[in-house]
Amino acid sequence: MRKKQCKLGVLAVLLFAEYGFAQKKDSLSQETSIKEVVVVAFGKQKKEEITGSVQSLKAKDLSNLQNGNVLQGIGGKVAGVQVISSGQPGSKPTIRMRGIGSINASSDPLIVLDGIPYNGDLNSISSADIESISFLEDASSNALYGSRGANGVIIVNTKRGKNKKLTIEADVKTGVNFRSIADYSVYTSPQDYYTAYYNRARIGEIAKSTQPGAVPSGTTPHAAGLAALNGLGYNVYNVPFNQLIAADGTFNPNAKLLYQDNWKKLLFKPALRREATVGINASGDQVKSYTSLNYLDDKGYLISSGFERFGIRSNVDYSITPKLKLTSALSYTYSKQNFGETGGFSNPFQFARNIAPFYPVFLRDDNYQRLYDTHGNALYDYGDGQGPNGGTRSYAVFENPVGNLQQDKSQTVSNITNANLGLNYEIINGLDFTYNFGAYLENLRNLQFGNTVGGTSSSVGGTISQESIFNYTLNHQQLLTYQKKFGKHSFNILVGHELNKTKNEGFSGSKQQLLLPTSPSFDNAVKITDLSGNGYEYAVEGYFSRLLYNYENKYFFNANVRRDGSSVFAPESRWGNFYGLGLAWNVAKEDFLKDNTVINALKLKASYGQQGNDNILLTNLTRDYYAYQDIYGINNFGDGKPVLSLQKQGNRDLKWETSKNFNAGFELSLLNNRVNVNADYFERKVSDMIYTLPLPISNSGSYVKYGNIGDMYNRGVQGNISVDILRNENIQWNFYANATHYKNKITRLPAEQRATGLVSGLFILSEGGDRYTYYLKEFAGVNPLNGDALWYKNSYNQATQQVEKTVTNNFKEATDYNTGKSAIPKVYGGFGTDITYKRVNLSVNFAYQFGGYGYDNIYRSLFHSDTYASNYSTDLDKTWTPENTSAALPRVDLTSTNQNENSTLYLIKSDYISLQDVTLSYQLPDDFAQQAGLSGLKVYVTGNNLYLWSKRKGYDPRASLTGVSDAYKYSLLSSVSLGFKLTF
């Protein structure tokens, strides 16, 4: 297999960035591929020796990803791996490897940094410091991580010293961040909105008159429409509401617009992005070192949001004696993350989409002139009666995100120190002892500051909430490795022990009534509203062993076993046994293929094993570290006496979720390694899944209890292909693609829920179904007579004694159905191409998914039937009106609030193709660089997350694992930068 296959659909940017464009690219021989080394659990292996599924991204694949968290940028680049991201700079993405690992426990993979399980967020590490990322997807690859490897393992290795010389590499890029996709299409003109609102009231009046037994209201539809306008509070035209719209529905041509503010333009603006890294490689006979400095200022397109990071790293390999070696990886990172994703009406994404276009951002007087404070700062309109003519909003009173984001703060500041130390001693030839120690220390400070001027915080004189968290993890590993070769037989035996301990301590408080309007200090507030502190401890210990065997470098076998104990479970069920077995056959080395000129490499492989999962999640999605213990809350009901209340009932019988994985596949290289194919079939059976247990009615929801209640599986196939279309001295052209398909199926539920299933939000968990099958009322169309939404319901026919499907316009009577439609796509993956002509390189990369369904809750909310003056979708013209009785969408008025409730009407295909990355680079001639005192100079332009093709404007399937659109989520951002890479 040639080295290029490791790309697996990755960004093949700047193919000669590390080696120089002037030199000729030699074709990679089979021998080169054989010698390729891949990072695996507790060490490295030659690629040909691996019996499972391990995929890698190299430094060159990551160098131009413009993400504060490197995992945000790998979507579509690795088969079997799904990435769900937020646009918030520096945010942690959701990663899923080969399907869904659990219903109620975490499905997140384990991250291992430089050989030590990592308890932090990868936004603390610059992508420029990363040498490789390996994705361990099957049991034979990740079984050595036991209780933490069930959902896959991501191994991140940082750069280390190379070569016996001093080299300095600097990479500087500056660019701009902007919103990736346009928002949903809503009304932007006050005229259009007033007309639409008028019509909602008019149509509602007409619809009421058609109801059986309707009593005349004494008003005309036209009069009802004009009366509704008066309730909006703000008139931005120079004629009164009762003269804005004529009886025939036309807008008054003499109405003059007095003012209009654009909420979206004021909230969402292109923002600067700056990043600089310097890496110093200094190596000699005994010491190899890599030292780096990096700085990132990644401002979000939402005002006042962004991510700033400064990091320093020192990795040293020191040969004390020929037999004794010391390694270290030390790093410190300071980061500050400013958020814009608040909840409720003040969320800027939800607010900008939903606020009617006539409501002003800025405060104005009765003459509609903007008002300013004594310092010349603009004042903001909070809809509370201070605006023109004392008008008040009917939507989101006391909120103004433009004003709030100028003065409020939602911020996390972290200081992270990570130290990994290793000591390796060669006891005798072939027998090594290694001791690894890892320490992760994090000091985290969260600040929430609410201003005194406007918003809900102003009603209590301003608010301050601060939280301080100290978290540390210590990891100890003792590894004994023996390797020996007897003729054609090669053995590698590992015996090890690992102890991992985590401790967390937190303290938080909230105060109100500020003296100084801008100071976030606790001493600036006088009223304490909350004071709390808590913490947890967690430990996992494991004993493990691994055998690697190969015969003639043709037949490979590995066996892993690990026994783990986790503090999450009760002592009597704390320990679990995990294992992995793998076989591989290098067919290309057999005599019958020895002289073959078409097949350069062919390997068949199969593996099976079992892992565990102790990462149990509570209902608030925080981790449960005390699963077998009762958890109480201490309350004060006003008399100053502490009162205990049971919040979670422990279960001493609770045990590990267990994942049994099977993998079989092949790796193939053809035509002088021009064509590389890698394909796997996988089966992942999860048993003893943890979920909430049914409790007595007397509980009334006051506490929960977890138990092992069900089983499920994921079965699928994944594959990669890489083809060198052209490969000669002047031009190299490569195309790659990867695809993954899997089916998720629940095979066992508790007897109590077996017949009915378990309803979880918009989904139903049923035997034979999958985790994300939609459970909704089924939309049956529109009544052409009055525009009523219709749904199906099950009714019992006495005559036939059968249950029949009938139609109702009463939403509460409608039946909830298992739709059979799932949020899980049929196939997902990526594809792209990389072209190099002499010193110029162009790479283009895409991601995609097809075959699943989403639920567009945002779109649904834009057809609301209420008197709040929130915006409407421009698809309102597709709803029923007396003039459009054949419309596909039901009537929208101001009172029929069930018309747009959750139903199959708002299911949508979640198919998409995303242009993930484009990079164009030019490596300047060596003599030009040398004249500037450099050994190499490269100029490049790179863009990430540039375009999306999907089913509906505004709907982004990439932003949700479940396919459900989230009105409050930070929409994905795009970045375009100009960069320079200098080598000294």
Side-chain angles (χ1 to χ4, degrees), residues 99-119:
I100 301 160
S102 178
I103 290 178
N104 202 71
S106 173
S107 292
D108 294 338
L110 172 70
I111 294 178
V112 177
L113 176 64
D114 291 327
I116 303 293
Y118 188 64
N119 201 37

Side-chain angles (χ1 to χ4, degrees), residues 306-610:
F307 178 66
E308 186 178 17
R309 178 184 66 213
F310 170 76
I312 183 170
R313 173 172 294 277
S314 176
N315 292 350
V316 178
D317 298 295
Y318 180 36
S319 296
I320 302 173
T321 70
K323 289 182 172 291
L324 183 62
K325 297 179 181 179
L326 175 68
T327 62
S328 67
L330 308 176
S331 66
Y332 165 77
T333 303
Y334 164 86
S335 66
K336 180 170 65 176
Q337 197 166 17
N338 290 308
F339 298 94
E341 295 176 277
T342 56
F345 281 118
S346 63
N347 177 275
F349 296 93
Q350 187 270 157
F351 196 101
R353 182 186 304 115
N354 284 9
I355 188 74
F358 62 87
Y359 283 130
V361 175
F362 300 104
L363 188 65
R364 290 174 166 82
D365 60 20
D366 291 345
N367 296 317
Y368 308 104
Q369 300 300 308
R370 284 174 56 174
L371 298 175
Y372 300 86
D373 64 17
T374 56
H375 300 289
N377 300 313
L379 296 176
Y380 295 94
D381 192 316
Y382 286 86
D384 56 355
Q386 298 184 53
N389 305 307
T392 59
R393 283 199 220 126
S394 63
Y395 177 81
V397 183
F398 304 118
E399 295 298 347
N400 187 315
V402 178
N404 289 346
L405 286 172
Q406 309 295 325
Q407 303 178 66
D408 291 353
K409 286 185 178 180
S410 178
Q411 185 182 90
T412 295
V413 175
S414 67
N415 291 273
I416 296 174
T417 300
N418 196 69
N420 291 349
L421 302 175
L423 190 67
N424 176 268
Y425 180 67
E426 184 182 7
I427 302 172
I428 58 174
N429 185 30
L431 180 62
D432 290 7
F433 173 76
T434 301
Y435 173 73
N436 292 324
F437 171 75
Y440 172 86
L441 296 91
E442 178 182 38
N443 192 318
L444 196 71
R445 291 185 290 115
N446 295 318
L447 169 66
Q448 300 288 330
F449 177 81
N451 73 85
T452 62
V453 178
T456 53
S457 61
S458 65
S459 63
V460 292
T463 60
I464 300 172
S465 296
Q466 292 192 32
E467 181 181 33
S468 180
I469 299 173
F470 178 71
N471 177 57
Y472 72 83
T473 299
L474 303 179
N475 185 280
H476 303 266
Q477 297 175 1
Q478 301 87 40
L479 311 173
L480 193 62
T481 305
Y482 179 70
Q483 49 188 335
K484 187 69 175 178
K485 188 171 184 179
F486 302 97
K488 297 180 180 180
H489 304 272
S490 296
F491 295 88
N492 184 302
I493 301 172
L494 168 71
V495 177
H497 167 260
E498 181 183 26
L499 176 63
N500 192 93
K501 287 186 175 182
T502 297
K503 186 172 183 178
N504 176 286
E505 295 177 346
F507 175 85
S508 63
S510 299
K511 297 181 77 174
Q512 296 176 352
Q513 297 179 5
L514 280 62
L515 177 62
L516 303 175
T518 59
S519 173
S521 170
F522 260 148
D523 287 345
N524 184 40
V526 297
K527 183 179 179 181
I528 299 175
T529 56
D530 180 69
L531 195 61
S532 62
N534 53 58
Y536 62 82
E537 293 186 57
Y538 166 70
V540 60
E541 185 174 17
Y543 300 88
F544 52 89
S545 181
R546 176 180 63 198
L547 168 65
L548 303 177
Y549 168 77
N550 84 70
Y551 177 75
E552 282 193 318
N553 286 325
K554 289 194 295 186
Y555 311 105
F556 301 92
F557 170 76
N558 72 38
N560 311 300
V561 62
R562 176 159 176 154
R563 179 167 173 79
D564 256 4
S566 170
S567 62
V568 169
F569 302 106
E572 56 268 28
S573 56
R574 179 162 293 169
W575 291 89
N577 298 316
F578 311 103
Y579 63 91
L581 303 170
L583 293 167
W585 176 24
N586 192 339
V587 184
K589 286 194 174 183
E590 296 292 351
D591 290 340
F592 59 82
L593 287 178
K594 186 176 181 181
D595 298 322
N596 187 285
T597 58
V598 176
I599 300 176
N600 308 118
L602 174 60
K603 182 173 73 172
L604 305 180
K605 58 186 180 179
S607 65
Y608 182 80
Q610 173 179 296

Side-chain angles (χ1 to χ4, degrees), residues 915-932:
L915 177 55
Q916 293 290 95
D917 314 289
V918 176
T919 300
L920 177 65
S921 67
Y922 177 67
Q923 183 81 22
L924 277 74
D926 293 345
D927 56 352
F928 180 88
Q930 290 167 4
Q931 290 177 15

